[in-house]
């Protein structure tokens, strides 16, 4: 089927209350009409996700932001203008449209404009049908590894999706780890989850970040609250020398010891992030019990790779 027809079909499916998994530049999302309580309820049941964990609403552009958020601080609008479409989620005060079933009962809403041509087309088609936004968590089972390919979504959720749900294939997610989440509900921003956009990146660009000590917030509900996250079945060791028959994920300049199964050898941090979840999934396919991950340097996205690996290893 032509891409345009497929997207139109997907938008119709969303409007009818079905689920559509779609690619974004970070990871694949499991989408539902963000105003349809029943459809959103299915996201939670399909993922086996606790109901109080809020969902990100995806919109096609910053122009749609006032539907979902109000009293938006100037610094938040500046962030949106700088990074959208892109790997940034803003947490803002919600409007009436953002019901408890999206926000987990909190007074705040998470919003993002994804930067992937299929996601963009889907959002635009959905809006043409009167849609207001697409609620979408990562399209994996709760606490497990996020999907960076359509095939990952099928492996995780294929058996629990209905015949009318759809999975759109948009290739490999370019970034490979989830969006940076910034809480923008007070006079100063707070980074809740690092991503492609890192704290040092923000410090350099915005005075409002460099003026304060940005400790990751743990007082409101977000990924960081659950220690176990992004986890494969295999146990992860960080920076430990792997033994025979164990897996290894490390930059390509790290040699593979004899008998060790090399899961990934990215040439730099960008490739490391892009391949991380795929290589954790590969370890499970190979039934490995142990994986060693050598953390890359902490520059650029390295900070966020560290965050995900420590959580996957249940160490953070
Ligand atoms: O890159 C991404 O952000 C992907 C793609 C699909 O957009 N989505 C994603 O969603 O990673 P999810 O649900 O797997 O992780 C989003 C995190 C959750 O931990 C959730 O608790 C937090 O964002 N979050 C969402 N809305 C929130 C809110 N209103 N307040 C605080 N945290 C929120
Ligand atoms: Mg997730």
């Amino acid at each position: 089927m032509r891409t345009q027809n497929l997207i139109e079909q997907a938008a119709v499916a969303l409007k009818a209350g079905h689920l559509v998994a779609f690619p974004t530049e970070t990871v694949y999302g499991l989408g539902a009409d963000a105003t349809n309580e029943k459809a959103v309820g299915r996201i939670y049941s399909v993922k086996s996700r606790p109901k109080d964990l809020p969902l990100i609403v995806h919109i096609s552009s910053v122009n749609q932001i006032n539907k979902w958020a109000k009293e938006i601080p100037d610094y938040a609008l500046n962030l949106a203008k700088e990074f959208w479409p892109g790997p940034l989620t803003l947490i803002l005060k919600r409007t009436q449209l953002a019901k408890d079933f999206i926000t987990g009962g909190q007074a705040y809403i998470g919003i993002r404009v994804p930067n992937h041509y299929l996601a963009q087309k889907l959002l635009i088609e959905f809006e043409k049908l009167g849609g207001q936004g697409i609620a979408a968590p990562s399209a994996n089972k709760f606490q497990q590894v996020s999907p960076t390919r359509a095939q990952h979504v099928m492996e995780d959720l294929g058996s629990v999706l209905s015949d009318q749900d759809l999975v759109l294939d948009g290739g490999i997610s370019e970034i490979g780890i989830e969006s940076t989440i910034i809480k923008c509900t007070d006079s100063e921003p707070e980074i809740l989850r690092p991503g492609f956009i890192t704290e040092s990146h923000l410090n350099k660009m915005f005075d409002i970040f460099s003026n304060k000590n940005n400790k990751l917030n743990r007082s409101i509900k977000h990924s960081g609250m659950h220690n176990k996250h992004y986890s494969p079945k295999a146990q992860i060791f960080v920076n430990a020398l792997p033994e025979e028959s164990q897996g290894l994920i490390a930059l390509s300049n790290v040699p593979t010891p004899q008998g060790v199964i090399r899961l990934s050898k990215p040439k730099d941090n960008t490739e490391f992030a892009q391949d991380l979840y795929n290589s954790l999934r590969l370890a499970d396919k190979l039934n490995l019990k142990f994986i060693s991950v050598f953390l890359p340097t902490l520059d650029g996205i390295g900070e966020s790779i560290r965050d995900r690996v420590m959580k996957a290893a249940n160490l953070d």
Side-chain angles (χ1 to χ4, degrees):
M1 197 188 288
R2 276 180 53 232
T3 307
Q4 186 57 27
N5 295 350
L6 187 62
I7 296 291
E8 283 167 17
Q9 189 195 331
V12 168
L14 281 173
K15 203 74 187 75
H18 304 298
L19 303 183
V20 175
F22 61 96
T24 83
E25 78 281 30
T26 58
V27 299
Y28 275 69
L30 179 64
D33 177 347
T35 61
N36 180 334
E37 181 165 14
K38 215 167 140 204
V40 170
R42 278 199 60 228
I43 290 184
Y44 285 92
S45 55
V46 160
K47 277 183 61 93
S48 312
R49 174 175 167 123
K51 285 263 181 194
D52 61 349
L53 259 183
L55 299 176
I56 298 171
V57 174
H58 297 71
I59 52 176
S60 65
S61 85
V62 68
N63 299 334
Q64 312 285 322
I65 197 171
N66 296 312
K67 288 182 182 170
W68 293 96
K70 61 180 183 185
E71 297 163 41
I72 304 169
D74 286 345
Y75 73 79
L77 275 182
N78 291 338
L79 285 168
K81 284 181 194 143
E82 181 67 33
F83 293 112
W84 281 354
L88 173 70
T89 297
L90 298 178
I91 307 294
L92 297 162
K93 281 199 188 137
R94 69 171 166 177
T95 61
Q96 292 276 327
L97 191 59
K99 299 286 190 293
D100 284 351
F101 63 79
I102 287 287
T103 70
Q106 300 187 86
Y108 310 126
I109 178 80
I111 308 180
R112 177 164 114 78
V113 178
N115 186 19
H116 187 291
Y117 76 101
L118 281 186
Q120 274 287 329
K121 278 178 186 285
L122 180 63
L123 284 160
I124 289 166
E125 284 305 320
F126 185 57
E127 280 163 15
K128 279 192 205 158
L129 300 178
Q132 311 269 26
I134 303 178
S138 52
N140 52 282
K141 288 278 189 182
F142 179 58
Q143 291 185 325
Q144 294 176 13
V145 181
S146 295
T148 54
R149 301 166 187 218
Q151 188 200 334
H152 296 163
V153 180
M154 288 309 295
E155 286 163 2
D156 290 1
L157 305 178
S159 65
V160 281
L161 292 176
S162 81
D163 289 347
Q164 283 142 312
D165 299 329
L166 287 169
V167 178
L168 301 178
D169 189 344
I172 298 174
S173 293
E174 199 182 331
I175 293 177
I177 62 173
E178 305 79 358
S179 63
T180 302
I181 303 181
I182 305 181
K183 180 170 173 276
C184 303
T185 56
D186 295 312
S187 55
E188 291 189 336
E190 207 163 349
I191 301 171
L192 301 185
R193 178 174 76 181
F196 180 76
I197 303 162
T198 60
E199 190 180 332
S200 17
H201 197 159
L202 292 162
N203 281 345
K204 274 186 223 136
M205 292 183 71
F206 293 95
D207 286 347
I208 197 155
F209 281 93
S210 55
N211 290 340
K212 65 193 287 274
N213 180 16
N214 244 309
K215 286 267 171 293
L216 286 185
N217 181 305
R218 286 180 184 278
S219 64
I220 74 171
K221 292 182 188 110
H222 62 96
S223 314
M225 290 200 55
H226 294 267
N227 285 344
K228 185 174 143 56
H229 222 94
Y230 321 112
S231 293
K233 292 191 193 74
Q235 192 177 345
I236 296 178
F237 293 102
V238 177
N239 294 342
L241 203 63
E243 294 173 8
E244 216 176 298
S245 311
Q246 297 183 350
L248 175 63
I249 296 172
L251 285 171
S252 56
N253 60 3
V254 177
T256 311
Q258 180 114 41
V260 164
I261 297 147
R262 189 62 177 257
L263 297 165
S264 182
K265 42 170 129 178
K267 68 172 186 308
D268 55 24
N269 286 4
T270 305
E271 260 188 38
F272 202 119
Q274 198 179 60
D275 199 43
L276 178 64
Y277 292 155
N278 187 51
S279 51
L280 294 178
R281 285 167 175 271
L282 177 61
D284 282 349
K285 279 185 198 144
L286 297 172
N287 276 320
L288 301 189
K289 299 277 175 296
F290 300 101
I291 315 168
S292 176
V293 182
F294 283 16
L295 292 175
T297 50
L298 289 183
D299 53 299
I301 201 170
E303 286 174 40
S304 308
I305 293 172
R306 181 184 186 284
D307 170 81
R308 301 304 193 275
V309 171
M310 296 303 273
K311 289 205 174 77
N314 212 352
L315 290 173
D316 198 10

